[in-house]
Amino acid sequence: MDGGLVYFAVVEFVDAQGGRHTFQAGSSGVKGLPVGGEVPVRYLPQAPNSARIDLRRRRIGEVAARFAGGTLFTAIGIWMLATGR
């Protein structure tokens, strides 16, 4: 580690029974989350202390974008080999 600051999101939510809970995100660098805004939270109803930020949609989007870029790069390479360029 380079000794720099590391930030973790702190999330407060109300469970289905009306109980208030606060937790710190399990990973740092949760980029793009709105400060003071809402984020999706997942938890088991019988264990609200196991809550976490639900970043699945964001991760799927990032993977899809990288996959599309890799596919395009590969297609261009195959095209260049096939046409002798």
Side-chain angles (χ1 to χ4, degrees), residues 8-13 23-27 29-31 33-34 38-43 50-59:
F8 292 87
V10 176
V11 179
E12 181 177 84
F13 71 100
F23 71 94
Q24 179 175 304
S27 61
V30 282
K31 298 176 184 171
L33 294 180
E38 294 184 4
V39 296
V41 174
R42 298 189 95 177
Y43 68 93
S50 67
R52 61 184 172 92
I53 298 173
D54 184 10
L55 298 175
R56 179 179 298 170
R57 289 184 190 169
R58 176 172 292 153
R59 288 186 185 139

Side-chain angles (χ1 to χ4, degrees), residues 13 15-19 21 41-51:
F13 71 100
D15 66 18
Q17 288 74 34
H21 303 275
V41 174
R42 298 189 95 177
Y43 68 93
L44 298 171
Q46 67 274 17
N49 292 332
S50 67

